[in-house]
Amino acid sequence: SAVGARTFTASAGQGLELMHEVLYVASSLRLPIVMAVANRALSGPLNVWGDHSDVMATRDCGWIQIFAENVQQAFDLTLCAFRIAEDQAVLFPVMIHIDGFHLSHVVESLYLLDQKRVDEFLPPYHHPYALNPDSPLTMGAYAAPNLYTEAKKSQDVALRATKETIFRVWEKFGKLTGRHYLPIEGYKERDAEVLLLTMGSFSEIAMIAIDKLRAGGHKVGLIRLRLWRPFPFNEFREAVAEAQLLIVLDRALSFGGPAPVCSEIQAALYPLQKRPKVVSFVGGLGGRDISIDTFEEMILHGIDKARRGKLDELEMIGVQE
């Protein structure tokens, strides 16, 4: 990537963490690598099945991070990732998160774009600062305390500013294919008093649970967090503005602390005068499925917890006695 080649790689779980240090190097050097991550649990005990432990361990590495819910989205969002990463207003690496086994090892139909349409969407790549012996430059040089803070500030400002390009690329892809992507996507959320928040492939199972609860007279809906970094603060706040209760499903633990997604959700809501109550659940660890019935039970239990004022308790679902 540093010499100007269009670059793709892939990793998962333990392999991603093995090279954890290099993730920070790639983003700090503004190298527009695209990486598919088949999200897996982390040791120990040794487990190669899917959850979001590896995602959360790499949360703060400075990459743009996007979640796919099915195979079609994995394909689409990977194409979009190159267009986003290589935009000269961006030049950041991008991770596309694809749930291990639930997506990475399933067989699904998808629509492929022919080469002509791919070429129309994804122009030739040119890195303006590629390594070249005819025009020498330095990457990743030493920075003493008098420079490091300013470098990190600049990197953070630049990463947050990529949202505009991300949204514009998704809009162009939607016009080309009819498949539209947003940082926060809803399902039957418009008049919902209770919202469930999910990320990744379990979102589609959750939709069926929402349908069943709706048929039973419950005003529930679903929101899916697609853009993990940079976090879409304004779009998220708008999505939950009318809800009374937000139930957050994490698929990873932050040992000794609040669940990672839920803690960010609560932080995003904190400045608001009017905000929904938040209930935190953790489930689907190490490849364990969450069934439609379990989603229904979790939502109803979350409603009951909120009614009883039990908002400060992280609860793990599906724990066997």
Side-chain angles (χ1 to χ4, degrees):
S1 180
V3 299
R6 174 169 284 162
T7 306
F8 177 84
T9 189
S11 191
Q14 324 297 335
L16 184 67
E17 301 314 318
L18 176 67
M19 300 300 289
H20 189 85
E21 176 190 8
V22 184
L23 298 175
Y24 290 83
V25 175
S27 60
S28 297
L29 299 188
R30 306 290 292 275
L31 302 178
I33 301 161
V34 174
M35 176 162 60
V37 179
N39 307 124
R40 293 185 176 185
L42 299 178
S43 293
L46 179 63
N47 180 294
V48 298
W49 284 269
D51 69 18
H52 291 167
S53 300
D54 56 0
V55 185
M56 298 307 153
T58 60
R59 176 186 61 179
D60 300 324
C61 64
W63 289 51
I64 296 169
Q65 300 191 43
I66 301 167
F67 273 82
E69 297 168 8
N70 55 46
V71 169
Q72 183 68 61
Q73 292 181 10
F75 172 77
D76 292 350
L77 293 169
T78 300
L79 283 182
C80 290
F82 281 105
R83 179 71 183 260
I84 292 165
E86 296 171 359
D87 190 297
Q88 294 197 14
V90 175
L91 295 178
F92 274 105
V94 180
M95 288 186 199
I96 302 298
H97 292 295
I98 302 165
D99 284 353
F101 287 87
H102 288 96
L103 287 189
S104 65
H105 286 63
V106 300
V107 176
E108 288 184 352
S109 298
L110 74 155
Y111 294 97
L112 295 173
L113 299 182
D114 60 35
Q115 191 63 52
K116 181 179 178 181
R117 297 179 80 196
V118 172
D119 292 341
E120 177 186 344
F121 177 72
L122 188 61
Y125 166 53
H126 170 71
H127 196 301
Y129 310 111
L131 290 174
N132 185 334
D134 295 329
S135 180
L137 57 86
T138 298
M139 287 187 176
Y142 174 79
N146 63 323
L147 291 176
Y148 186 84
T149 297
E150 288 69 27
K152 294 293 104 175
K153 173 67 174 178
S154 175
Q155 185 178 344
D156 182 61
V157 169
L159 182 61
R160 291 173 187 269
T162 63
K163 280 175 52 180
E164 181 179 343
T165 301
I166 294 168
F167 298 168
R168 185 173 68 250
V169 168
W170 282 346
E171 182 180 5
K172 288 181 178 179
F173 188 83
K175 290 178 180 178
L176 179 68
T177 66
R179 298 191 291 274
H180 300 272
Y181 295 101
L182 296 169
I184 300 283
E185 298 180 9
Y187 181 74
K188 298 190 175 179
E189 83 288 2
R190 295 193 181 278
D191 64 339
E193 297 174 355
V194 178
L195 290 173
L196 171 68
L197 184 143
T198 57
M199 300 166 69
S201 63
F202 281 18
S203 300
E204 296 190 340
I205 304 168
M207 290 179 189
I208 303 173
I210 295 296
D211 289 340
K212 293 181 69 176
L213 288 169
R214 279 274 180 173
H218 297 278
K219 286 189 175 182
V220 298
L222 176 70
I223 57 172
R224 296 110 70 200
L225 182 55
R226 182 170 308 288
L227 182 61
W228 178 230
R229 283 294 185 274
F231 192 90
F233 288 100
N234 293 335
E235 293 77 13
F236 166 72
R237 289 166 180 161
E238 291 175 7
V240 303
E242 302 303 319
Q244 298 174 17
L245 174 64
L246 180 60
I247 300 170
V248 180
L249 174 66
D250 271 90
R251 294 187 59 201
L253 281 168
S254 178
F255 297 105
V261 176
C262 188
S263 65
E264 297 220 1
I265 294 304
Q266 290 173 314
L269 292 173
Y270 184 78
L272 305 182
Q273 293 294 322
K274 180 179 178 293
R275 55 181 182 265
K277 297 177 180 178
V278 178
V279 173
S280 176
F281 289 100
V282 173
L285 301 183
R288 184 169 294 180
D289 284 324
I290 301 179
S291 68
I292 297 167
D293 290 343
T294 303
F295 267 113
E296 286 187 80
E297 293 167 4
M298 182 182 69
I299 293 168
L300 294 175
H301 183 43
I303 294 170
D304 181 63
K305 288 184 69 172
R307 187 181 298 119
R308 292 185 289 114
K310 301 291 185 180
L311 302 177
D312 59 343
E313 302 175 356
L314 178 156
E315 184 170 340
M316 295 184 68
I317 59 174
V319 178
Q320 300 174 3
E321 297 183 358

mmCIF file with all atom_site columns, all heavy atoms in Angstrom, residues 254-279:
data_model
loop_
_atom_site.group_PDB
_atom_site.id
_atom_site.type_symbol
_atom_site.label_atom_id
_atom_site.label_alt_id
_atom_site.label_comp_id
_atom_site.label_asym_id
_atom_site.label_entity_id
_atom_site.label_seq_id
_atom_site.pdbx_PDB_ins_code
_atom_site.Cartn_x
_atom_site.Cartn_y
_atom_site.Cartn_z
_atom_site.occupancy
_atom_site.B_iso_or_equiv
_atom_site.pdbx_formal_charge
_atom_site.auth_seq_id
_atom_site.auth_comp_id
_atom_site.auth_asym_id
_atom_site.auth_atom_id
_atom_site.pdbx_PDB_model_num
ATOM 1   N N   . SER A 1 254 ? -16.553 -6.546  27.826 1.00 0.00 ? 254 SER A N   1
ATOM 2   C CA  . SER A 1 254 ? -15.433 -5.741  28.275 1.00 0.00 ? 254 SER A CA  1
ATOM 3   C C   . SER A 1 254 ? -15.236 -6.118  29.733 1.00 0.00 ? 254 SER A C   1
ATOM 4   O O   . SER A 1 254 ? -15.950 -5.627  30.614 1.00 0.00 ? 254 SER A O   1
ATOM 5   C CB  . SER A 1 254 ? -15.738 -4.243  28.136 1.00 0.00 ? 254 SER A CB  1
ATOM 6   O OG  . SER A 1 254 ? -14.671 -3.471  28.615 1.00 0.00 ? 254 SER A OG  1
ATOM 7   N N   . PHE A 1 255 ? -14.313 -7.015  29.989 1.00 0.00 ? 255 PHE A N   1
ATOM 8   C CA  . PHE A 1 255 ? -14.209 -7.646  31.303 1.00 0.00 ? 255 PHE A CA  1
ATOM 9   C C   . PHE A 1 255 ? -14.031 -6.610  32.408 1.00 0.00 ? 255 PHE A C   1
ATOM 10  O O   . PHE A 1 255 ? -13.127 -5.777  32.349 1.00 0.00 ? 255 PHE A O   1
ATOM 11  C CB  . PHE A 1 255 ? -13.057 -8.645  31.328 1.00 0.00 ? 255 PHE A CB  1
ATOM 12  C CG  . PHE A 1 255 ? -13.247 -9.782  30.364 1.00 0.00 ? 255 PHE A CG  1
ATOM 13  C CD1 . PHE A 1 255 ? -12.526 -9.826  29.183 1.00 0.00 ? 255 PHE A CD1 1
ATOM 14  C CD2 . PHE A 1 255 ? -14.163 -10.779 30.635 1.00 0.00 ? 255 PHE A CD2 1
ATOM 15  C CE1 . PHE A 1 255 ? -12.709 -10.867 28.285 1.00 0.00 ? 255 PHE A CE1 1
ATOM 16  C CE2 . PHE A 1 255 ? -14.361 -11.829 29.733 1.00 0.00 ? 255 PHE A CE2 1
ATOM 17  C CZ  . PHE A 1 255 ? -13.635 -11.864 28.560 1.00 0.00 ? 255 PHE A CZ  1
ATOM 18  N N   . GLY A 1 256 ? -14.916 -6.667  33.391 1.00 0.00 ? 256 GLY A N   1
ATOM 19  C CA  . GLY A 1 256 ? -14.840 -5.743  34.510 1.00 0.00 ? 256 GLY A CA  1
ATOM 20  C C   . GLY A 1 256 ? -15.478 -4.397  34.263 1.00 0.00 ? 256 GLY A C   1
ATOM 21  O O   . GLY A 1 256 ? -15.435 -3.514  35.125 1.00 0.00 ? 256 GLY A O   1
ATOM 22  N N   . GLY A 1 257 ? -16.080 -4.214  33.088 1.00 0.00 ? 257 GLY A N   1
ATOM 23  C CA  . GLY A 1 257 ? -16.694 -2.934  32.763 1.00 0.00 ? 257 GLY A CA  1
ATOM 24  C C   . GLY A 1 257 ? -17.991 -3.123  32.013 1.00 0.00 ? 257 GLY A C   1
ATOM 25  O O   . GLY A 1 257 ? -18.456 -4.257  31.819 1.00 0.00 ? 257 GLY A O   1
ATOM 26  N N   . PRO A 1 258 ? -18.603 -2.029  31.547 1.00 0.00 ? 258 PRO A N   1
ATOM 27  C CA  . PRO A 1 258 ? -19.847 -2.142  30.785 1.00 0.00 ? 258 PRO A CA  1
ATOM 28  C C   . PRO A 1 258 ? -19.590 -2.770  29.419 1.00 0.00 ? 258 PRO A C   1
ATOM 29  O O   . PRO A 1 258 ? -18.462 -2.751  28.910 1.00 0.00 ? 258 PRO A O   1
ATOM 30  C CB  . PRO A 1 258 ? -20.304 -0.688  30.650 1.00 0.00 ? 258 PRO A CB  1
ATOM 31  C CG  . PRO A 1 258 ? -19.044 0.109   30.738 1.00 0.00 ? 258 PRO A CG  1
ATOM 32  C CD  . PRO A 1 258 ? -18.152 -0.634  31.689 1.00 0.00 ? 258 PRO A CD  1
ATOM 33  N N   . ALA A 1 259 ? -20.630 -3.342  28.822 1.00 0.00 ? 259 ALA A N   1
ATOM 34  C CA  . ALA A 1 259 ? -20.499 -3.906  27.481 1.00 0.00 ? 259 ALA A CA  1
ATOM 35  C C   . ALA A 1 259 ? -20.070 -2.814  26.507 1.00 0.00 ? 259 ALA A C   1
ATOM 36  O O   . ALA A 1 259 ? -20.544 -1.674  26.602 1.00 0.00 ? 259 ALA A O   1
ATOM 37  C CB  . ALA A 1 259 ? -21.817 -4.530  27.052 1.00 0.00 ? 259 ALA A CB  1
ATOM 38  N N   . PRO A 1 260 ? -19.178 -3.117  25.566 1.00 0.00 ? 260 PRO A N   1
ATOM 39  C CA  . PRO A 1 260 ? -18.536 -2.054  24.780 1.00 0.00 ? 260 PRO A CA  1
ATOM 40  C C   . PRO A 1 260 ? -19.467 -1.222  23.915 1.00 0.00 ? 260 PRO A C   1
ATOM 41  O O   . PRO A 1 260 ? -19.352 0.014   23.894 1.00 0.00 ? 260 PRO A O   1
ATOM 42  C CB  . PRO A 1 260 ? -17.499 -2.810  23.933 1.00 0.00 ? 260 PRO A CB  1
ATOM 43  C CG  . PRO A 1 260 ? -17.902 -4.242  23.987 1.00 0.00 ? 260 PRO A CG  1
ATOM 44  C CD  . PRO A 1 260 ? -18.594 -4.442  25.280 1.00 0.00 ? 260 PRO A CD  1
ATOM 45  N N   . VAL A 1 261 ? -20.392 -1.865  23.183 1.00 0.00 ? 261 VAL A N   1
ATOM 46  C CA  . VAL A 1 261 ? -21.297 -1.078  22.343 1.00 0.00 ? 261 VAL A CA  1
ATOM 47  C C   . VAL A 1 261 ? -22.247 -0.269  23.218 1.00 0.00 ? 261 VAL A C   1
ATOM 48  O O   . VAL A 1 261 ? -22.485 0.915   22.986 1.00 0.00 ? 261 VAL A O   1
ATOM 49  C CB  . VAL A 1 261 ? -22.082 -1.983  21.371 1.00 0.00 ? 261 VAL A CB  1
ATOM 50  C CG1 . VAL A 1 261 ? -23.091 -1.146  20.571 1.00 0.00 ? 261 VAL A CG1 1
ATOM 51  C CG2 . VAL A 1 261 ? -21.134 -2.700  20.427 1.00 0.00 ? 261 VAL A CG2 1
ATOM 52  N N   . CYS A 1 262 ? -22.767 -0.912  24.247 1.00 0.00 ? 262 CYS A N   1
ATOM 53  C CA  . CYS A 1 262 ? -23.720 -0.225  25.122 1.00 0.00 ? 262 CYS A CA  1
ATOM 54  C C   . CYS A 1 262 ? -23.080 0.994   25.789 1.00 0.00 ? 262 CYS A C   1
ATOM 55  O O   . CYS A 1 262 ? -23.711 2.046   25.914 1.00 0.00 ? 262 CYS A O   1
ATOM 56  C CB  . CYS A 1 262 ? -24.259 -1.184  26.183 1.00 0.00 ? 262 CYS A CB  1
ATOM 57  S SG  . CYS A 1 262 ? -25.599 -0.471  27.157 1.00 0.00 ? 262 CYS A SG  1
ATOM 58  N N   . SER A 1 263 ? -21.833 0.880   26.203 1.00 0.00 ? 263 SER A N   1
ATOM 59  C CA  . SER A 1 263 ? -21.180 2.018   26.847 1.00 0.00 ? 263 SER A CA  1
ATOM 60  C C   . SER A 1 263 ? -21.044 3.187   25.881 1.00 0.00 ? 263 SER A C   1
ATOM 61  O O   . SER A 1 263 ? -21.190 4.360   26.261 1.00 0.00 ? 263 SER A O   1
ATOM 62  C CB  . SER A 1 263 ? -19.809 1.613   27.398 1.00 0.00 ? 263 SER A CB  1
ATOM 63  O OG  . SER A 1 263 ? -18.919 1.270   26.355 1.00 0.00 ? 263 SER A OG  1
ATOM 64  N N   . GLU A 1 264 ? -20.783 2.897   24.603 1.00 0.00 ? 264 GLU A N   1
ATOM 65  C CA  . GLU A 1 264 ? -20.684 3.965   23.615 1.00 0.00 ? 264 GLU A CA  1
ATOM 66  C C   . GLU A 1 264 ? -22.053 4.584   23.336 1.00 0.00 ? 264 GLU A C   1
ATOM 67  O O   . GLU A 1 264 ? -22.176 5.794   23.138 1.00 0.00 ? 264 GLU A O   1
ATOM 68  C CB  . GLU A 1 264 ? -20.061 3.426   22.333 1.00 0.00 ? 264 GLU A CB  1
ATOM 69  C CG  . GLU A 1 264 ? -18.650 2.929   22.520 1.00 0.00 ? 264 GLU A CG  1
ATOM 70  C CD  . GLU A 1 264 ? -17.745 3.284   21.363 1.00 0.00 ? 264 GLU A CD  1
ATOM 71  O OE1 . GLU A 1 264 ? -18.211 3.943   20.417 1.00 0.00 ? 264 GLU A OE1 1
ATOM 72  O OE2 . GLU A 1 264 ? -16.567 2.926   21.429 1.00 0.00 ? 264 GLU A OE2 1
ATOM 73  N N   . ILE A 1 265 ? -23.081 3.725   23.313 1.00 0.00 ? 265 ILE A N   1
ATOM 74  C CA  . ILE A 1 265 ? -24.435 4.218   23.112 1.00 0.00 ? 265 ILE A CA  1
ATOM 75  C C   . ILE A 1 265 ? -24.828 5.158   24.246 1.00 0.00 ? 265 ILE A C   1
ATOM 76  O O   . ILE A 1 265 ? -25.383 6.248   24.033 1.00 0.00 ? 265 ILE A O   1
ATOM 77  C CB  . ILE A 1 265 ? -25.418 3.036   23.023 1.00 0.00 ? 265 ILE A CB  1
ATOM 78  C CG1 . ILE A 1 265 ? -25.151 2.203   21.758 1.00 0.00 ? 265 ILE A CG1 1
ATOM 79  C CG2 . ILE A 1 265 ? -26.859 3.515   23.073 1.00 0.00 ? 265 ILE A CG2 1
ATOM 80  C CD1 . ILE A 1 265 ? -25.180 2.952   20.478 1.00 0.00 ? 265 ILE A CD1 1
ATOM 81  N N   . GLN A 1 266 ? -24.540 4.757   25.465 1.00 0.00 ? 266 GLN A N   1
ATOM 82  C CA  . GLN A 1 266 ? -24.875 5.603   26.611 1.00 0.00 ? 266 GLN A CA  1
ATOM 83  C C   . GLN A 1 266 ? -24.098 6.916   26.580 1.00 0.00 ? 266 GLN A C   1
ATOM 84  O O   . GLN A 1 266 ? -24.641 7.975   26.905 1.00 0.00 ? 266 GLN A O   1
ATOM 85  C CB  . GLN A 1 266 ? -24.605 4.836   27.904 1.00 0.00 ? 266 GLN A CB  1
ATOM 86  C CG  . GLN A 1 266 ? -25.587 3.704   28.138 1.00 0.00 ? 266 GLN A CG  1
ATOM 87  C CD  . GLN A 1 266 ? -25.224 2.837   29.327 1.00 0.00 ? 266 GLN A CD  1
ATOM 88  O OE1 . GLN A 1 266 ? -24.066 2.451   29.479 1.00 0.00 ? 266 GLN A OE1 1
ATOM 89  N NE2 . GLN A 1 266 ? -26.200 2.519   30.154 1.00 0.00 ? 266 GLN A NE2 1
ATOM 90  N N   . ALA A 1 267 ? -22.839 6.849   26.170 1.00 0.00 ? 267 ALA A N   1
ATOM 91  C CA  . ALA A 1 267 ? -22.042 8.075   26.060 1.00 0.00 ? 267 ALA A CA  1
ATOM 92  C C   . ALA A 1 267 ? -22.602 9.005   24.988 1.00 0.00 ? 267 ALA A C   1
ATOM 93  O O   . ALA A 1 267 ? -22.627 10.232  25.161 1.00 0.00 ? 267 ALA A O   1
ATOM 94  C CB  . ALA A 1 267 ? -20.591 7.731   25.755 1.00 0.00 ? 267 ALA A CB  1
ATOM 95  N N   . ALA A 1 268 ? -23.060 8.423   23.869 1.00 0.00 ? 268 ALA A N   1
ATOM 96  C CA  . ALA A 1 268 ? -23.626 9.231   22.787 1.00 0.00 ? 268 ALA A CA  1
ATOM 97  C C   . ALA A 1 268 ? -24.927 9.900   23.210 1.00 0.00 ? 268 ALA A C   1
ATOM 98  O O   . ALA A 1 268 ? -25.244 11.011  22.767 1.00 0.00 ? 268 ALA A O   1
ATOM 99  C CB  . ALA A 1 268 ? -23.858 8.367   21.557 1.00 0.00 ? 268 ALA A CB  1
ATOM 100 N N   . LEU A 1 269 ? -25.681 9.240   24.080 1.00 0.00 ? 269 LEU A N   1
ATOM 101 C CA  . LEU A 1 269 ? -26.965 9.781   24.521 1.00 0.00 ? 269 LEU A CA  1
ATOM 102 C C   . LEU A 1 269 ? -26.833 10.770  25.666 1.00 0.00 ? 269 LEU A C   1
ATOM 103 O O   . LEU A 1 269 ? -27.728 11.585  25.896 1.00 0.00 ? 269 LEU A O   1
ATOM 104 C CB  . LEU A 1 269 ? -27.883 8.627   24.966 1.00 0.00 ? 269 LEU A CB  1
ATOM 105 C CG  . LEU A 1 269 ? -28.371 7.674   23.883 1.00 0.00 ? 269 LEU A CG  1
ATOM 106 C CD1 . LEU A 1 269 ? -29.114 6.507   24.517 1.00 0.00 ? 269 LEU A CD1 1
ATOM 107 C CD2 . LEU A 1 269 ? -29.272 8.397   22.883 1.00 0.00 ? 269 LEU A CD2 1
ATOM 108 N N   . TYR A 1 270 ? -25.742 10.711  26.404 1.00 0.00 ? 270 TYR A N   1
ATOM 109 C CA  . TYR A 1 270 ? -25.616 11.458  27.659 1.00 0.00 ? 270 TYR A CA  1
ATOM 110 C C   . TYR A 1 270 ? -25.872 12.958  27.519 1.00 0.00 ? 270 TYR A C   1
ATOM 111 O O   . TYR A 1 270 ? -26.537 13.555  28.376 1.00 0.00 ? 270 TYR A O   1
ATOM 112 C CB  . TYR A 1 270 ? -24.233 11.216  28.278 1.00 0.00 ? 270 TYR A CB  1
ATOM 113 C CG  . TYR A 1 270 ? -24.059 11.876  29.618 1.00 0.00 ? 270 TYR A CG  1
ATOM 114 C CD1 . TYR A 1 270 ? -24.617 11.325  30.768 1.00 0.00 ? 270 TYR A CD1 1
ATOM 115 C CD2 . TYR A 1 270 ? -23.348 13.076  29.742 1.00 0.00 ? 270 TYR A CD2 1
ATOM 116 C CE1 . TYR A 1 270 ? -24.478 11.949  31.999 1.00 0.00 ? 270 TYR A CE1 1
ATOM 117 C CE2 . TYR A 1 270 ? -23.205 13.704  30.965 1.00 0.00 ? 270 TYR A CE2 1
ATOM 118 C CZ  . TYR A 1 270 ? -23.763 13.127  32.097 1.00 0.00 ? 270 TYR A CZ  1
ATOM 119 O OH  . TYR A 1 270 ? -23.632 13.745  33.302 1.00 0.00 ? 270 TYR A OH  1
ATOM 120 N N   . PRO A 1 271 ? -25.393 13.628  26.453 1.00 0.00 ? 271 PRO A N   1
ATOM 121 C CA  . PRO A 1 271 ? -25.604 15.086  26.384 1.00 0.00 ? 271 PRO A CA  1
ATOM 122 C C   . PRO A 1 271 ? -27.057 15.489  26.158 1.00 0.00 ? 271 PRO A C   1
ATOM 123 O O   . PRO A 1 271 ? -27.391 16.669  26.303 1.00 0.00 ? 271 PRO A O   1
ATOM 124 C CB  . PRO A 1 271 ? -24.732 15.507  25.188 1.00 0.00 ? 271 PRO A CB  1
ATOM 125 C CG  . PRO A 1 271 ? -23.779 14.387  24.975 1.00 0.00 ? 271 PRO A CG  1
ATOM 126 C CD  . PRO A 1 271 ? -24.526 13.154  25.375 1.00 0.00 ? 271 PRO A CD  1
ATOM 127 N N   . LEU A 1 272 ? -27.921 14.539  25.769 1.00 0.00 ? 272 LEU A N   1
ATOM 128 C CA  . LEU A 1 272 ? -29.295 14.881  25.415 1.00 0.00 ? 272 LEU A CA  1
ATOM 129 C C   . LEU A 1 272 ? -30.168 15.042  26.656 1.00 0.00 ? 272 LEU A C   1
ATOM 130 O O   . LEU A 1 272 ? -30.098 14.239  27.594 1.00 0.00 ? 272 LEU A O   1
ATOM 131 C CB  . LEU A 1 272 ? -29.893 13.799  24.507 1.00 0.00 ? 272 LEU A CB  1
ATOM 132 C CG  . LEU A 1 272 ? -29.127 13.458  23.232 1.00 0.00 ? 272 LEU A CG  1
ATOM 133 C CD1 . LEU A 1 272 ? -29.881 12.409  22.429 1.00 0.00 ? 272 LEU A CD1 1
ATOM 134 C CD2 . LEU A 1 272 ? -28.895 14.708  22.379 1.00 0.00 ? 272 LEU A CD2 1
ATOM 135 N N   . GLN A 1 273 ? -31.016 16.049  26.641 1.00 0.00 ? 273 GLN A N   1
ATOM 136 C CA  . GLN A 1 273 ? -31.964 16.241  27.735 1.00 0.00 ? 273 GLN A CA  1
ATOM 137 C C   . GLN A 1 273 ? -33.054 15.163  27.690 1.00 0.00 ? 273 GLN A C   1
ATOM 138 O O   . GLN A 1 273 ? -33.459 14.618  28.715 1.00 0.00 ? 273 GLN A O   1
ATOM 139 C CB  . GLN A 1 273 ? -32.601 17.634  27.628 1.00 0.00 ? 273 GLN A CB  1
ATOM 140 C CG  . GLN A 1 273 ? -31.632 18.772  27.873 1.00 0.00 ? 273 GLN A CG  1
ATOM 141 C CD  . GLN A 1 273 ? -31.107 18.793  29.302 1.00 0.00 ? 273 GLN A CD  1
ATOM 142 O OE1 . GLN A 1 273 ? -31.832 18.507  30.257 1.00 0.00 ? 273 GLN A OE1 1
ATOM 143 N NE2 . GLN A 1 273 ? -29.831 19.118  29.450 1.00 0.00 ? 273 GLN A NE2 1
ATOM 144 N N   . LYS A 1 274 ? -33.524 14.860  26.492 1.00 0.00 ? 274 LYS A N   1
ATOM 145 C CA  . LYS A 1 274 ? -34.544 13.824  26.300 1.00 0.00 ? 274 LYS A CA  1
ATOM 146 C C   . LYS A 1 274 ? -33.881 12.613  25.638 1.00 0.00 ? 274 LYS A C   1
ATOM 147 O O   . LYS A 1 274 ? -33.408 12.705  24.515 1.00 0.00 ? 274 LYS A O   1
ATOM 148 C CB  . LYS A 1 274 ? -35.677 14.353  25.419 1.00 0.00 ? 274 LYS A CB  1
ATOM 149 C CG  . LYS A 1 274 ? -36.797 13.351  25.151 1.00 0.00 ? 274 LYS A CG  1
ATOM 150 C CD  . LYS A 1 274 ? -37.883 13.989  24.291 1.00 0.00 ? 274 LYS A CD  1
ATOM 151 C CE  . LYS A 1 274 ? -38.997 13.000  23.963 1.00 0.00 ? 274 LYS A CE  1
ATOM 152 N NZ  . LYS A 1 274 ? -38.550 11.911  23.079 1.00 0.00 ? 274 LYS A NZ  1
ATOM 153 N N   . ARG A 1 275 ? -33.826 11.514  26.349 1.00 0.00 ? 275 ARG A N   1
ATOM 154 C CA  . ARG A 1 275 ? -33.166 10.333  25.816 1.00 0.00 ? 275 ARG A CA  1
ATOM 155 C C   . ARG A 1 275 ? -33.867 9.083   26.329 1.00 0.00 ? 275 ARG A C   1
ATOM 156 O O   . ARG A 1 275 ? -34.452 9.082   27.414 1.00 0.00 ? 275 ARG A O   1
ATOM 157 C CB  . ARG A 1 275 ? -31.687 10.302  26.212 1.00 0.00 ? 275 ARG A CB  1
ATOM 158 C CG  . ARG A 1 275 ? -31.420 10.400  27.709 1.00 0.00 ? 275 ARG A CG  1
ATOM 159 C CD  . ARG A 1 275 ? -29.915 10.385  27.980 1.00 0.00 ? 275 ARG A CD  1
ATOM 160 N NE  . ARG A 1 275 ? -29.609 10.441  29.400 1.00 0.00 ? 275 ARG A NE  1
ATOM 161 C CZ  . ARG A 1 275 ? -29.343 11.556  30.076 1.00 0.00 ? 275 ARG A CZ  1
ATOM 162 N NH1 . ARG A 1 275 ? -29.357 12.720  29.443 1.00 0.00 ? 275 ARG A NH1 1
ATOM 163 N NH2 . ARG A 1 275 ? -29.075 11.512  31.375 1.00 0.00 ? 275 ARG A NH2 1
ATOM 164 N N   . PRO A 1 276 ? -33.804 8.001   25.552 1.00 0.00 ? 276 PRO A N   1
ATOM 165 C CA  . PRO A 1 276 ? -34.442 6.761   26.000 1.00 0.00 ? 276 PRO A CA  1
ATOM 166 C C   . PRO A 1 276 ? -33.658 6.111   27.134 1.00 0.00 ? 276 PRO A C   1
ATOM 167 O O   . PRO A 1 276 ? -32.452 6.326   27.286 1.00 0.00 ? 276 PRO A O   1
ATOM 168 C CB  . PRO A 1 276 ? -34.410 5.882   24.742 1.00 0.00 ? 276 PRO A CB  1
ATOM 169 C CG  . PRO A 1 276 ? -33.249 6.396   23.959 1.00 0.00 ? 276 PRO A CG  1
ATOM 170 C CD  . PRO A 1 276 ? -33.198 7.871   24.225 1.00 0.00 ? 276 PRO A CD  1
ATOM 171 N N   . LYS A 1 277 ? -34.360 5.304   27.938 1.00 0.00 ? 277 LYS A N   1
ATOM 172 C CA  . LYS A 1 277 ? -33.679 4.445   28.890 1.00 0.00 ? 277 LYS A CA  1
ATOM 173 C C   . LYS A 1 277 ? -32.903 3.390   28.109 1.00 0.00 ? 277 LYS A C   1
ATOM 174 O O   . LYS A 1 277 ? -33.274 3.041   26.982 1.00 0.00 ? 277 LYS A O   1
ATOM 175 C CB  . LYS A 1 277 ? -34.681 3.779   29.821 1.00 0.00 ? 277 LYS A CB  1
ATOM 176 C CG  . LYS A 1 277 ? -35.458 4.746   30.684 1.00 0.00 ? 277 LYS A CG  1
ATOM 177 C CD  . LYS A 1 277 ? -36.486 4.001   31.537 1.00 0.00 ? 277 LYS A CD  1
ATOM 178 C CE  . LYS A 1 277 ? -37.279 4.967   32.407 1.00 0.00 ? 277 LYS A CE  1
ATOM 179 N NZ  . LYS A 1 277 ? -38.315 4.248   33.211 1.00 0.00 ? 277 LYS A NZ  1
ATOM 180 N N   . VAL A 1 278 ? -31.835 2.865   28.694 1.00 0.00 ? 278 VAL A N   1
ATOM 181 C CA  . VAL A 1 278 ? -30.988 1.888   28.008 1.00 0.00 ? 278 VAL A CA  1
ATOM 182 C C   . VAL A 1 278 ? -30.859 0.632   28.858 1.00 0.00 ? 278 VAL A C   1
ATOM 183 O O   . VAL A 1 278 ? -30.562 0.712   30.058 1.00 0.00 ? 278 VAL A O   1
ATOM 184 C CB  . VAL A 1 278 ? -29.588 2.466   27.715 1.00 0.00 ? 278 VAL A CB  1
ATOM 185 C CG1 . VAL A 1 278 ? -28.699 1.409   27.045 1.00 0.00 ? 278 VAL A CG1 1
ATOM 186 C CG2 . VAL A 1 278 ? -29.696 3.714   26.835 1.00 0.00 ? 278 VAL A CG2 1
ATOM 187 N N   . VAL A 1 279 ? -31.097 -0.513  28.232 1.00 0.00 ? 279 VAL A N   1
ATOM 188 C CA  . VAL A 1 279 ? -30.912 -1.816  28.874 1.00 0.00 ? 279 VAL A CA  1
ATOM 189 C C   . VAL A 1 279 ? -29.855 -2.578  28.090 1.00 0.00 ? 279 VAL A C   1
ATOM 190 O O   . VAL A 1 279 ? -29.896 -2.616  26.851 1.00 0.00 ? 279 VAL A O   1
ATOM 191 C CB  . VAL A 1 279 ? -32.224 -2.618  28.937 1.00 0.00 ? 279 VAL A CB  1
ATOM 192 C CG1 . VAL A 1 279 ? -31.975 -4.033  29.454 1.00 0.00 ? 279 VAL A CG1 1
ATOM 193 C CG2 . VAL A 1 279 ? -33.236 -1.908  29.831 1.00 0.00 ? 279 VAL A CG2 1
#
